[in-house]
Amino acid sequence: MYAASGGVPAPNADTDGCFINYADADLADPRHNASGTPWHELYFKSGYRQLQTVKAQWDPKNLFNHSLSIKAV
């Protein structure tokens, strides 16, 4: 699926991005994500900047992290 974008469900007329409960670490790897859309935009759209602000406030030491976690500003 999604062969044109490297297997990534890039936003277009058929899909709106990624399903938030399906964490796919390959989306953060440019070798796999050829969609031109960063992984955080696929999941969170324009809300990512606000999530970064909240992350900086509640987890300033980045204790809770994984390959697709919110990066603090």
Side-chain angles (χ1 to χ4, degrees):
M1 289 186 80
Y2 311 110
S5 57
V8 176
N12 58 31
D14 299 320
T15 184
D16 190 32
C18 292
F19 180 55
I20 193 73
N21 290 334
Y22 179 72
D24 184 355
D26 286 344
L27 295 178
D29 187 340
R31 293 175 298 162
H32 300 288
N33 184 350
S35 71
T37 305
W39 69 267
H40 54 80
E41 213 169 291
L42 291 170
Y43 281 108
F44 306 115
K45 310 231 181 320
S46 63
Y48 186 69
R49 300 289 177 232
Q50 185 176 5
L51 290 170
Q52 284 183 300
T53 303
V54 172
K55 170 81 173 187
Q57 180 181 7
W58 290 96
D59 186 18
K61 295 183 180 180
N62 198 29
L63 181 64
F64 301 100
N65 67 73
H66 54 81
S67 61
L68 295 178
S69 63
I70 306 298
K71 309 293 185 236
V73 270

